[in-house]
Amino acid sequence: HAKREGRNNTQFFTAALNESTAERLELERELRLAIDNGLLQLHYQPQICAADGKVHGVEALVRWAHPTLGAVSPAKFIPIAEESGLILPLGSWVLDTACRQAARWKAEGIEGLTVAVNLSAHQLRQPELIEQVQTILCRYALHGSDLELEITESVAMEDPQYAIKQLQALRGLDVQLSIDDFGTGYSSLAYLKLLPIQTLKLDRAFVRDIETDPNDAAISTATLALAHSLGLQVVAEGVENEAQRSFLAAHGCDRLQGYLFSRPEPAEVLSQRWKQEAIAVKTGV
Ligand code: C2E
Ligand code: MG
Ligand code: MG
Ligand code: MG
């Protein structure tokens, strides 16, 4: 009896595993098609200066509108892209598209906007990355400092010596560098000091309950103190309400990003909004 149950369980798990593998393979196939046929989109989420409320820049976030499944979350398809190697063509497309948009905003007279792009481990591992970034900056007549690249702690920790070498080369182009999701990885402080970065992005896991959970408040204020003493700026992720904003601003957080200010939006939506705001400022409406 036990034996039969055991076998049934095995069959059940095997079936479930096969199904998820098949689903993954299907998503991978469709993602490849979406990349090849230009069906991905970028949305952009503003980062706000905590001190004056002005837009510092935007983070580019990839979007995939699947013909039958609807919007597939990047949290689901980015890992598939990483495992299959599709992250390389996808990442190249994101870099190119985000930089083209940065140039468009400049042409529209929106000056000094930094466009941040997420970089995967696979991309950082490519020796060609530096030349690729340089080529794209040149293609759109951008300055290196118009671009910010975000890497997570685990990406930076994967092969620390090589990561440092690559990041230094990117700094040689004057590209800005930030550590994404800070606090969720396990980078040592000694190592952090060696990275040629300018910014830490405090993970939204700590921001969520910042005004009610003393531990989250302590982690956030300690991160701000650490970053500032290392000469780094801090961006808080996932700022959703006024209480979080005022806590972070009171504790010297440099930049804020989250639904309180804006969801990630298509470039045209932000352009339109910024134009209207500029008109409102001029006319005092
Ligand atoms: P991330 O880089 O940490 O991006 C921030 C995520 O937080 C985004 O999720 C954004 O929509 C979400 N977010 C922003 N403000 C709030 C808020 O106030 N509340 C909440 N609950 N969420 C907020 P999204 O767009 O789903 O992206 C998820 C992750 O997928 C990103 O996390 C990043 O790791 C990855 N990703 C997205 N686009 C790209 C890309 O072009 N390349 C690579 N390599 N990874 C990407
Ligand atoms: Mg990011
Ligand atoms: Mg993040
Ligand atoms: Mg995050």
Side-chain angles (χ1 to χ4, degrees):
H1 181 73
K3 208 172 177 185
R4 196 174 67 222
E5 243 178 29
R7 191 160 54 227
N8 283 347
N9 280 344
T10 309
Q11 276 170 353
F12 172 76
F13 283 124
T14 308
L17 193 70
N18 284 340
E19 192 185 28
S20 73
T21 308
E23 189 200 6
R24 238 182 134 79
L25 281 173
E26 177 61 11
L27 269 186
E28 181 187 324
R29 194 186 67 80
E30 291 175 324
L31 181 59
R32 191 183 308 272
L33 283 174
I35 296 167
D36 288 348
N37 295 307
L39 301 178
L40 298 180
Q41 242 204 316
L42 283 187
H43 283 188
Y44 299 87
Q45 187 178 36
Q47 279 183 12
I48 306 300
C49 289
D52 59 12
K54 287 189 180 146
V55 179
H56 166 93
V58 293
E59 177 177 5
L61 295 157
V62 67
R63 294 290 179 262
W64 180 18
H66 187 281
T68 52
L69 299 175
V72 186
S73 163
K76 180 159 189 168
F77 71 80
I78 289 289
I80 293 177
E82 272 167 6
E83 279 164 36
S84 60
L86 284 174
I87 195 71
L88 291 181
L90 188 154
S92 298
W93 177 82
V94 171
L95 258 178
D96 189 271
T97 306
C99 286
R100 178 158 22 100
Q101 185 55 49
R104 259 189 217 159
W105 274 319
K106 266 194 177 178
E108 286 175 23
I110 300 157
E111 289 288 333
L113 206 65
T114 302
V115 175
V117 170
N118 293 285
L119 209 63
S120 81
H122 219 70
Q123 287 174 284
L124 191 65
R125 247 184 263 131
Q126 301 296 306
E128 305 80 28
L129 174 70
I130 314 307
E131 206 187 307
Q132 186 194 8
V133 170
Q134 189 167 27
T135 303
I136 291 176
L137 291 173
C138 187
R139 180 177 302 151
Y140 299 113
L142 292 177
H143 190 252
S145 61
D146 296 328
L147 178 65
E148 178 166 348
L149 295 174
E150 300 190 359
I151 58 166
T152 61
E153 285 171 90
S154 51
V155 168
M157 290 295 285
E158 204 186 70
D159 178 353
Q161 271 184 327
Y162 190 65
I164 290 172
K165 187 172 158 261
Q166 289 283 76
L167 296 178
Q168 277 168 345
L170 289 167
R171 282 302 293 151
L173 302 174
D174 214 15
V175 169
Q176 302 179 58
L177 302 171
S178 58
I179 296 292
D180 206 351
D181 303 341
F182 185 77
T184 59
Y186 46 87
S187 53
S188 76
L189 299 180
Y191 174 57
L192 191 66
K193 197 182 71 174
L194 299 175
L195 292 176
I197 55 168
Q198 289 69 56
T199 303
L200 293 184
K201 296 191 75 177
L202 178 66
D203 195 79
R204 71 164 185 269
F206 306 114
V207 173
R208 195 185 308 121
D209 300 321
I210 203 166
E211 355 83 86
T212 51
D213 184 329
N215 291 329
D216 287 340
I219 291 168
S220 301
T221 51
T223 300
L224 281 159
L226 166 75
H228 289 154
S229 68
L230 291 173
L232 304 175
Q233 300 217 318
V234 178
V235 180
E237 300 187 311
V239 181
E240 294 185 352
N241 60 51
E242 176 53 31
Q244 294 163 340
R245 187 206 64 77
S246 63
F247 182 100
L248 287 158
H251 288 85
C253 189
D254 303 277
R255 276 133 65 186
L256 310 168
Q257 184 179 343
Y259 297 166
L260 176 64
F261 307 98
S262 174
R263 297 207 165 233
E265 301 279 9
E268 313 79 66
V269 172
L270 293 179
S271 293
Q272 199 59 35
R273 188 186 298 163
W274 291 333
K275 261 176 224 153
Q276 264 153 18
E277 279 167 6
I279 292 166
V281 168
K282 271 192 206 142
T283 59
V285 177

